[in-house]
Amino acid sequence: MKIFPTTCIKQLDAYTIENEPIASIDLMERAARALAGAIAGRWGTDTRITIFAGPGNNGGDALAVARLLMERGYRVETFLFNTQGKLSPDCATNMERLAAMPDVDFHEVTSQFTFPKLTAKDVIIDGLFGSGLNKPLTGGFAAVVKFINASPARVVSIDIPSGLMGEDNIYNTAAAIVRADLTLSLQLPKLSFFFAENEAYVGEWRLLDIGLSPEAIAEMPTDYELTEPGTVSALLRPRGRFAHKGNFGRALLVAGSRGMAGASILAAQACLRSGVGLLTMHVPFYNNDIVQVAVPEAMTELDMSDTCYATPINTDDYQAVAIGPGLGTENETVSALLEQVEVCETPMVLDADALNILGDNHAYLSRLPKGSILTPHPKELDRLVGNCQNSYERLERARELAQQAEVHIVLKGAYTAVISPDGKCRFNTTGNPGMATGGSGDVLTGILLALLAQGYAPGDAAVLGVYVHGLAGDLAADELGQISMTAGDLVRYLPQAWKELATGRES
């Protein structure tokens, strides 16, 4: 599913109106019917509805929703804020239609406004401003937003919470953004929905199909997408009957230091559960017995150091290398990693302390093997690109780094972003907060290592690996609940996750 900048969504509206063809007021009516249906599906007619409509097309949607809900038997009180005496044509039309309803409770606000009394049983529908907003709300509209946020009522925003911008909110005013419990987005999601700092405004979000032109959506380019199950399943390769372990690659995992053997074990177990042919673990002497017992399917190669990674390795015999989980940042480890980057020509997966070391040695980013995969969480990404003020800036800087270094970046989060060297960004749809536990990233590293070793293209490996990692987390949460989940549970549910993906590919 594509994610478009808000300026492109206006173009999709215009194309649909011109080529369906359909009048703009009828397209608005179609959207309003979808909105009214979603609201009616959640709250019964005993719920009192209060609607706040602005002077533009978002307000027009809200006025049409008010009329349609009244037709369904809801008690609706509607406030249209028309302080400048200027409504969009479709908003004006829907005002006339609503005003013509019998027993309508409608107020056009042109100057002073008396706030209604609301309770926790009421629902507010926010239709003040849509996705076209490009500056913070001020004055009277900011006051209305503050009233909405202070009320005990539940809040439903049409398309996007009023005051929130579709992409970058770095210069926005937090107090002048509606805090919705539910956002009903029309046709497509907005980029700002995928940023952690906007969760308090967006709340739960749902997409409503309003019939925008599928041809226009398919033809219009964008750098942002949302991964979908069918797309991911199609990436999965079937296995031939005569395949043997040599067909599925040799992988090298450089991980662990004294006291951090667990990170290497989680990564290794995930790698083995993700189809690799042969796995070698490069570990310090003190970790050898631990990993031999915990991961008997893997081979070990001992570092010259007893306690940490201190020796660069010849990687010519391996199809993929992962380095970082539990590695530590001892001086000899830093030197070994930087030398490893210089000499390695095999695609690498870099995580955890490997990223922290690169964060202190930025010049080595351009020396990474092309097609390598970096898996930072937000703070690790900031060490690589500099401190970022919000998630939008962080995403854009990650895209710049991916293009400059010709690497793939997996920016971890609730909607993990997989960024390719061409700047394209794909947001992942699987996973849950139960995965916010130590070791989850190590599991992801192991999955990605296995896929690279099997010959998957780095971009496909990143999309597929991130998706199945989240899917394993979802399966674990369904069975165990989120609170008690550990990273080891992700490994245990990987077989079921791969099985589900394979079933999707075959169907």
Side-chain angles (χ1 to χ4, degrees):
M1 177 184 292
K2 291 184 175 181
I3 304 167
F4 292 104
T6 52
T7 53
C8 294
I9 294 175
K10 290 183 178 180
Q11 297 174 34
L12 293 174
D13 287 343
Y15 184 95
T16 302
I17 290 167
E18 181 178 350
N19 291 275
E20 186 169 335
I22 185 173
S24 61
I25 189 66
D26 294 329
L27 182 59
M28 182 175 286
E29 187 74 5
R30 193 154 72 192
R33 291 190 181 281
L35 290 161
I39 293 165
R42 186 164 297 209
W43 291 284
T45 55
D46 57 337
T47 303
R48 190 176 64 156
I49 307 290
T50 301
I51 293 182
F52 294 96
N57 282 347
N58 195 253
D61 290 332
L63 295 175
V65 168
R67 170 172 44 83
L68 293 171
L69 289 177
M70 287 180 64
E71 290 176 354
R72 289 173 177 254
Y74 285 84
R75 294 175 298 153
V76 181
E77 184 176 17
T78 304
F79 296 89
L80 170 62
F81 294 88
N82 186 18
T83 56
Q84 300 297 316
K86 184 179 180 181
L87 303 176
S88 73
D90 290 343
C91 183
T93 298
N94 272 310
M95 181 185 72
E96 294 170 2
R97 290 178 177 179
L98 179 61
M101 292 282 290
D103 302 319
V104 66
D105 191 357
F106 170 71
H107 314 274
E108 184 177 5
V109 180
T110 57
S111 55
Q112 297 299 315
F113 172 56
T114 301
F115 294 113
K117 293 183 179 180
L118 300 171
T119 72
K121 295 181 179 180
D122 297 333
V123 169
I124 292 173
I125 296 177
D126 157 39
L128 292 172
F129 292 95
S131 58
L133 199 69
N134 57 16
K135 59 183 179 181
L137 296 179
T138 58
F141 283 112
V144 175
V145 169
K146 291 177 182 178
F147 167 76
I148 291 172
N149 290 342
S151 77
R154 293 153 292 183
V155 180
V156 179
S157 285
I158 293 176
D159 202 30
I160 189 171
S162 292
L164 186 69
M165 298 173 201
E167 290 82 43
D168 188 8
N169 284 272
I170 194 168
Y171 298 114
N172 211 337
T173 304
I177 305 173
V178 166
R179 293 174 175 264
D181 298 293
L182 172 65
T183 298
L184 298 175
S185 188
L186 302 179
Q187 193 72 47
L188 298 164
K190 313 300 180 285
L191 187 60
S192 57
F193 292 1
F194 300 96
F195 301 146
E197 61 267 25
N198 296 332
E199 181 184 13
Y201 310 117
V202 177
E204 175 192 353
W205 59 271
R206 286 182 53 195
L207 295 181
L208 300 181
D209 187 349
I210 63 168
L212 293 185
S213 168
E215 293 81 11
I217 292 172
E219 293 174 6
M220 185 174 290
T222 179
D223 288 331
Y224 307 99
E225 293 183 5
L226 196 63
T227 56
E228 297 181 278
T231 303
V232 179
S233 292
L235 298 175
L236 195 59
R237 299 176 179 177
R239 293 192 161 204
R241 175 167 292 276
F242 292 94
H244 55 82
K245 61 188 177 184
N247 296 127
F248 301 113
R250 295 190 63 190
L252 175 66
L253 174 64
V254 183
S257 55
R258 188 173 187 178
M260 294 292 288
S264 61
I265 291 168
L266 287 167
Q269 290 173 336
C271 183
L272 291 162
R273 286 293 189 185
S274 297
V276 73
L278 292 164
L279 172 64
T280 298
M281 301 174 67
H282 183 92
V283 298
F285 175 78
Y286 281 141
N287 287 1
N288 181 66
D289 291 351
I290 301 171
V291 300
Q292 287 273 276
V293 172
V295 196
E297 301 91 342
M299 298 169 282
T300 59
E301 174 184 277
L302 298 184
D303 196 275
M304 291 179 61
S305 168
D306 288 342
T307 60
C308 68
Y309 166 55
T311 313
I313 309 140
N314 184 334
T315 60
D316 291 346
D317 292 335
Y318 300 98
Q319 282 70 58
V321 177
I323 184 166
L327 202 66
T329 55
E330 299 293 333
N331 289 336
E332 54 264 55
T333 299
V334 172
S335 298
L337 174 67
L338 297 181
E339 185 176 342
Q340 190 77 64
V341 168
E342 291 272 23
V343 301
C344 186
E345 297 182 0
T346 304
M348 302 176 76
V349 181
L350 296 110
D351 183 33
D353 284 326
L355 297 175
N356 291 327
I357 292 170
L358 289 174
D360 291 330
N361 298 272
H362 288 174
Y364 284 81
L365 289 168
S366 62
R367 304 175 193 176
L368 291 170
K370 306 310 177 189
S372 291
I373 302 174
L374 282 60
T375 65
H377 56 58
K379 286 187 177 180
E380 290 168 340
L381 194 279
D382 284 4
R383 296 186 191 112
L384 296 172
V385 301
N387 288 331
C388 301
Q389 296 185 60
N390 68 356
S391 296
Y392 178 79
E393 181 184 6
R394 187 171 294 112
L395 181 68
E396 293 307 292
R397 289 203 191 176
R399 293 176 64 212
E400 291 172 5
L401 175 59
Q403 292 171 303
Q404 292 166 1
E406 297 182 57
V407 297
H408 298 261
I409 296 178
V410 173
L411 180 53
K412 293 182 284 196
Y415 296 98
T416 292
V418 178
I419 304 163
S420 54
D422 60 3
K424 299 287 186 182
C425 175
R426 295 166 179 84
F427 290 97
N428 187 54
T429 53
T430 58
N432 62 82
M435 299 171 68
T437 184
S440 290
D442 304 325
V443 173
L444 176 61
T445 294
I447 296 169
L448 296 174
L449 173 62
L451 294 172
L452 279 184
Q454 290 171 74
Y456 282 88
D460 291 346
V463 170
L464 179 57
V466 167
Y467 188 92
V468 79
H469 177 250
L471 181 57
D474 289 339
L475 293 169
D478 288 344
E479 183 72 22
L480 307 173
Q482 295 181 8
I483 293 175
S484 65
M485 282 172 57
T486 67
D489 295 325
L490 304 182
V491 175
R492 283 187 283 276
Y493 280 87
L494 271 174
Q496 188 176 340
W498 286 118
K499 185 176 180 181
E500 280 201 14
L501 271 185
T503 301
R505 176 180 53 78
E506 294 162 3
S507 61

PDB file of all heavy atoms in Angstrom, residues 273-294:
ATOM      1  N   ARG A 273      16.829 -21.017  12.691  1.00  0.00           N
ATOM      2  CA  ARG A 273      15.390 -21.176  12.497  1.00  0.00           C
ATOM      3  C   ARG A 273      14.891 -20.438  11.253  1.00  0.00           C
ATOM      4  O   ARG A 273      13.688 -20.437  10.985  1.00  0.00           O
ATOM      5  CB  ARG A 273      14.631 -20.666  13.720  1.00  0.00           C
ATOM      6  CG  ARG A 273      14.708 -21.561  14.945  1.00  0.00           C
ATOM      7  CD  ARG A 273      13.985 -22.875  14.718  1.00  0.00           C
ATOM      8  NE  ARG A 273      13.875 -23.666  15.942  1.00  0.00           N
ATOM      9  CZ  ARG A 273      13.376 -24.887  15.980  1.00  0.00           C
ATOM     10  NH1 ARG A 273      12.952 -25.467  14.867  1.00  0.00           N
ATOM     11  NH2 ARG A 273      13.296 -25.546  17.127  1.00  0.00           N
ATOM     12  N   SER A 274      15.809 -19.832  10.510  1.00  0.00           N
ATOM     13  CA  SER A 274      15.407 -19.065   9.328  1.00  0.00           C
ATOM     14  C   SER A 274      16.024 -19.602   8.049  1.00  0.00           C
ATOM     15  O   SER A 274      16.126 -18.893   7.052  1.00  0.00           O
ATOM     16  CB  SER A 274      15.763 -17.589   9.530  1.00  0.00           C
ATOM     17  OG  SER A 274      15.043 -17.055  10.628  1.00  0.00           O
ATOM     18  N   GLY A 275      16.451 -20.853   8.099  1.00  0.00           N
ATOM     19  CA  GLY A 275      16.771 -21.549   6.854  1.00  0.00           C
ATOM     20  C   GLY A 275      18.202 -21.562   6.406  1.00  0.00           C
ATOM     21  O   GLY A 275      18.491 -22.021   5.298  1.00  0.00           O
ATOM     22  N   VAL A 276      19.151 -21.075   7.205  1.00  0.00           N
ATOM     23  CA  VAL A 276      20.543 -21.073   6.775  1.00  0.00           C
ATOM     24  C   VAL A 276      21.060 -22.497   6.638  1.00  0.00           C
ATOM     25  O   VAL A 276      20.616 -23.408   7.345  1.00  0.00           O
ATOM     26  CB  VAL A 276      21.409 -20.266   7.770  1.00  0.00           C
ATOM     27  CG1 VAL A 276      21.614 -21.032   9.070  1.00  0.00           C
ATOM     28  CG2 VAL A 276      22.740 -19.882   7.145  1.00  0.00           C
ATOM     29  N   GLY A 277      22.003 -22.691   5.713  1.00  0.00           N
ATOM     30  CA  GLY A 277      22.586 -24.014   5.540  1.00  0.00           C
ATOM     31  C   GLY A 277      23.576 -24.354   6.625  1.00  0.00           C
ATOM     32  O   GLY A 277      23.479 -25.384   7.297  1.00  0.00           O
ATOM     33  N   LEU A 278      24.563 -23.475   6.836  1.00  0.00           N
ATOM     34  CA  LEU A 278      25.619 -23.694   7.828  1.00  0.00           C
ATOM     35  C   LEU A 278      25.901 -22.381   8.541  1.00  0.00           C
ATOM     36  O   LEU A 278      25.989 -21.327   7.915  1.00  0.00           O
ATOM     37  CB  LEU A 278      26.903 -24.207   7.158  1.00  0.00           C
ATOM     38  CG  LEU A 278      26.838 -25.613   6.553  1.00  0.00           C
ATOM     39  CD1 LEU A 278      28.010 -25.830   5.609  1.00  0.00           C
ATOM     40  CD2 LEU A 278      26.854 -26.659   7.665  1.00  0.00           C
ATOM     41  N   LEU A 279      26.073 -22.451   9.841  1.00  0.00           N
ATOM     42  CA  LEU A 279      26.359 -21.257  10.636  1.00  0.00           C
ATOM     43  C   LEU A 279      27.619 -21.476  11.463  1.00  0.00           C
ATOM     44  O   LEU A 279      27.751 -22.483  12.162  1.00  0.00           O
ATOM     45  CB  LEU A 279      25.189 -20.946  11.580  1.00  0.00           C
ATOM     46  CG  LEU A 279      25.436 -19.826  12.593  1.00  0.00           C
ATOM     47  CD1 LEU A 279      25.652 -18.496  11.890  1.00  0.00           C
ATOM     48  CD2 LEU A 279      24.282 -19.733  13.591  1.00  0.00           C
ATOM     49  N   THR A 280      28.523 -20.519  11.368  1.00  0.00           N
ATOM     50  CA  THR A 280      29.712 -20.483  12.215  1.00  0.00           C
ATOM     51  C   THR A 280      29.618 -19.271  13.129  1.00  0.00           C
ATOM     52  O   THR A 280      29.312 -18.162  12.679  1.00  0.00           O
ATOM     53  CB  THR A 280      31.000 -20.399  11.379  1.00  0.00           C
ATOM     54  OG1 THR A 280      31.108 -21.573  10.566  1.00  0.00           O
ATOM     55  CG2 THR A 280      32.228 -20.292  12.270  1.00  0.00           C
ATOM     56  N   MET A 281      29.882 -19.494  14.424  1.00  0.00           N
ATOM     57  CA  MET A 281      29.879 -18.402  15.403  1.00  0.00           C
ATOM     58  C   MET A 281      31.315 -18.085  15.797  1.00  0.00           C
ATOM     59  O   MET A 281      32.039 -18.969  16.269  1.00  0.00           O
ATOM     60  CB  MET A 281      29.069 -18.799  16.635  1.00  0.00           C
ATOM     61  CG  MET A 281      27.623 -19.146  16.346  1.00  0.00           C
ATOM     62  SD  MET A 281      26.758 -19.775  17.818  1.00  0.00           S
ATOM     63  CE  MET A 281      26.728 -18.298  18.855  1.00  0.00           C
ATOM     64  N   HIS A 282      31.708 -16.854  15.596  1.00  0.00           N
ATOM     65  CA  HIS A 282      33.029 -16.404  16.033  1.00  0.00           C
ATOM     66  C   HIS A 282      32.868 -15.801  17.420  1.00  0.00           C
ATOM     67  O   HIS A 282      32.202 -14.764  17.588  1.00  0.00           O
ATOM     68  CB  HIS A 282      33.596 -15.366  15.058  1.00  0.00           C
ATOM     69  CG  HIS A 282      34.972 -14.911  15.406  1.00  0.00           C
ATOM     70  ND1 HIS A 282      36.107 -15.509  14.914  1.00  0.00           N
ATOM     71  CD2 HIS A 282      35.406 -13.912  16.225  1.00  0.00           C
ATOM     72  CE1 HIS A 282      37.175 -14.911  15.391  1.00  0.00           C
ATOM     73  NE2 HIS A 282      36.776 -13.931  16.201  1.00  0.00           N
ATOM     74  N   VAL A 283      33.467 -16.455  18.430  1.00  0.00           N
ATOM     75  CA  VAL A 283      33.229 -16.058  19.817  1.00  0.00           C
ATOM     76  C   VAL A 283      34.543 -16.038  20.588  1.00  0.00           C
ATOM     77  O   VAL A 283      35.505 -16.715  20.217  1.00  0.00           O
ATOM     78  CB  VAL A 283      32.245 -17.033  20.512  1.00  0.00           C
ATOM     79  CG1 VAL A 283      30.888 -17.002  19.821  1.00  0.00           C
ATOM     80  CG2 VAL A 283      32.814 -18.454  20.529  1.00  0.00           C
ATOM     81  N   PRO A 284      34.609 -15.273  21.687  1.00  0.00           N
ATOM     82  CA  PRO A 284      35.786 -15.344  22.560  1.00  0.00           C
ATOM     83  C   PRO A 284      35.818 -16.677  23.313  1.00  0.00           C
ATOM     84  O   PRO A 284      34.789 -17.336  23.475  1.00  0.00           O
ATOM     85  CB  PRO A 284      35.590 -14.167  23.520  1.00  0.00           C
ATOM     86  CG  PRO A 284      34.125 -13.904  23.521  1.00  0.00           C
ATOM     87  CD  PRO A 284      33.642 -14.266  22.142  1.00  0.00           C
ATOM     88  N   PHE A 285      36.999 -17.037  23.773  1.00  0.00           N
ATOM     89  CA  PHE A 285      37.198 -18.351  24.391  1.00  0.00           C
ATOM     90  C   PHE A 285      36.207 -18.614  25.525  1.00  0.00           C
ATOM     91  O   PHE A 285      35.654 -19.709  25.635  1.00  0.00           O
ATOM     92  CB  PHE A 285      38.642 -18.459  24.915  1.00  0.00           C
ATOM     93  CG  PHE A 285      38.902 -19.716  25.673  1.00  0.00           C
ATOM     94  CD1 PHE A 285      39.121 -20.913  25.009  1.00  0.00           C
ATOM     95  CD2 PHE A 285      38.899 -19.722  27.070  1.00  0.00           C
ATOM     96  CE1 PHE A 285      39.355 -22.086  25.710  1.00  0.00           C
ATOM     97  CE2 PHE A 285      39.126 -20.887  27.776  1.00  0.00           C
ATOM     98  CZ  PHE A 285      39.360 -22.072  27.106  1.00  0.00           C
ATOM     99  N   TYR A 286      35.981 -17.604  26.377  1.00  0.00           N
ATOM    100  CA  TYR A 286      35.132 -17.827  27.538  1.00  0.00           C
ATOM    101  C   TYR A 286      33.688 -18.161  27.159  1.00  0.00           C
ATOM    102  O   TYR A 286      32.940 -18.695  27.979  1.00  0.00           O
ATOM    103  CB  TYR A 286      35.143 -16.592  28.444  1.00  0.00           C
ATOM    104  CG  TYR A 286      36.371 -16.494  29.325  1.00  0.00           C
ATOM    105  CD1 TYR A 286      36.973 -15.252  29.557  1.00  0.00           C
ATOM    106  CD2 TYR A 286      36.922 -17.619  29.931  1.00  0.00           C
ATOM    107  CE1 TYR A 286      38.099 -15.153  30.359  1.00  0.00           C
ATOM    108  CE2 TYR A 286      38.043 -17.523  30.731  1.00  0.00           C
ATOM    109  CZ  TYR A 286      38.637 -16.290  30.943  1.00  0.00           C
ATOM    110  OH  TYR A 286      39.738 -16.204  31.733  1.00  0.00           O
ATOM    111  N   ASN A 287      33.261 -17.847  25.958  1.00  0.00           N
ATOM    112  CA  ASN A 287      31.884 -18.120  25.541  1.00  0.00           C
ATOM    113  C   ASN A 287      31.734 -19.438  24.794  1.00  0.00           C
ATOM    114  O   ASN A 287      30.610 -19.854  24.497  1.00  0.00           O
ATOM    115  CB  ASN A 287      31.361 -16.986  24.648  1.00  0.00           C
ATOM    116  CG  ASN A 287      31.076 -15.729  25.424  1.00  0.00           C
ATOM    117  OD1 ASN A 287      31.273 -15.679  26.631  1.00  0.00           O
ATOM    118  ND2 ASN A 287      30.619 -14.688  24.734  1.00  0.00           N
ATOM    119  N   ASN A 288      32.838 -20.104  24.486  1.00  0.00           N
ATOM    120  CA  ASN A 288      32.775 -21.280  23.615  1.00  0.00           C
ATOM    121  C   ASN A 288      31.889 -22.374  24.182  1.00  0.00           C
ATOM    122  O   ASN A 288      30.976 -22.869  23.501  1.00  0.00           O
ATOM    123  CB  ASN A 288      34.172 -21.824  23.364  1.00  0.00           C
ATOM    124  CG  ASN A 288      34.150 -23.034  22.432  1.00  0.00           C
ATOM    125  OD1 ASN A 288      33.809 -22.907  21.266  1.00  0.00           O
ATOM    126  ND2 ASN A 288      34.493 -24.202  22.967  1.00  0.00           N
ATOM    127  N   ASP A 289      32.122 -22.771  25.419  1.00  0.00           N
ATOM    128  CA  ASP A 289      31.354 -23.879  25.988  1.00  0.00           C
ATOM    129  C   ASP A 289      29.872 -23.526  26.090  1.00  0.00           C
ATOM    130  O   ASP A 289      28.995 -24.384  25.875  1.00  0.00           O
ATOM    131  CB  ASP A 289      31.893 -24.252  27.369  1.00  0.00           C
ATOM    132  CG  ASP A 289      33.275 -24.884  27.300  1.00  0.00           C
ATOM    133  OD1 ASP A 289      33.734 -25.178  26.173  1.00  0.00           O
ATOM    134  OD2 ASP A 289      33.900 -25.065  28.361  1.00  0.00           O
ATOM    135  N   ILE A 290      29.583 -22.268  26.407  1.00  0.00           N
ATOM    136  CA  ILE A 290      28.195 -21.843  26.553  1.00  0.00           C
ATOM    137  C   ILE A 290      27.455 -22.000  25.231  1.00  0.00           C
ATOM    138  O   ILE A 290      26.373 -22.598  25.172  1.00  0.00           O
ATOM    139  CB  ILE A 290      28.130 -20.377  27.029  1.00  0.00           C
ATOM    140  CG1 ILE A 290      28.834 -20.212  28.365  1.00  0.00           C
ATOM    141  CG2 ILE A 290      26.678 -19.896  27.113  1.00  0.00           C
ATOM    142  CD1 ILE A 290      29.009 -18.765  28.788  1.00  0.00           C
ATOM    143  N   VAL A 291      28.030 -21.473  24.150  1.00  0.00           N
ATOM    144  CA  VAL A 291      27.317 -21.514  22.870  1.00  0.00           C
ATOM    145  C   VAL A 291      27.308 -22.917  22.280  1.00  0.00           C
ATOM    146  O   VAL A 291      26.350 -23.291  21.577  1.00  0.00           O
ATOM    147  CB  VAL A 291      27.893 -20.483  21.862  1.00  0.00           C
ATOM    148  CG1 VAL A 291      27.783 -19.076  22.412  1.00  0.00           C
ATOM    149  CG2 VAL A 291      29.325 -20.808  21.490  1.00  0.00           C
ATOM    150  N   GLN A 292      28.343 -23.722  22.556  1.00  0.00           N
ATOM    151  CA  GLN A 292      28.347 -25.095  22.055  1.00  0.00           C
ATOM    152  C   GLN A 292      27.192 -25.893  22.637  1.00  0.00           C
ATOM    153  O   GLN A 292      26.580 -26.715  21.949  1.00  0.00           O
ATOM    154  CB  GLN A 292      29.682 -25.770  22.397  1.00  0.00           C
ATOM    155  CG  GLN A 292      30.847 -25.289  21.579  1.00  0.00           C
ATOM    156  CD  GLN A 292      31.003 -26.044  20.267  1.00  0.00           C
ATOM    157  OE1 GLN A 292      31.591 -27.113  20.211  1.00  0.00           O
ATOM    158  NE2 GLN A 292      30.440 -25.500  19.209  1.00  0.00           N
ATOM    159  N   VAL A 293      26.893 -25.646  23.906  1.00  0.00           N
ATOM    160  CA  VAL A 293      25.787 -26.351  24.558  1.00  0.00           C
ATOM    161  C   VAL A 293      24.440 -25.765  24.120  1.00  0.00           C
ATOM    162  O   VAL A 293      23.494 -26.493  23.836  1.00  0.00           O
ATOM    163  CB  VAL A 293      25.928 -26.281  26.091  1.00  0.00           C
ATOM    164  CG1 VAL A 293      24.679 -26.842  26.769  1.00  0.00           C
ATOM    165  CG2 VAL A 293      27.165 -27.034  26.542  1.00  0.00           C
ATOM    166  N   ALA A 294      24.361 -24.438  24.045  1.00  0.00           N
ATOM    167  CA  ALA A 294      23.087 -23.787  23.758  1.00  0.00           C
ATOM    168  C   ALA A 294      22.691 -23.890  22.287  1.00  0.00           C
ATOM    169  O   ALA A 294      21.495 -23.940  21.971  1.00  0.00           O
ATOM    170  CB  ALA A 294      23.150 -22.309  24.162  1.00  0.00           C
TER     171      ALA A 294
END
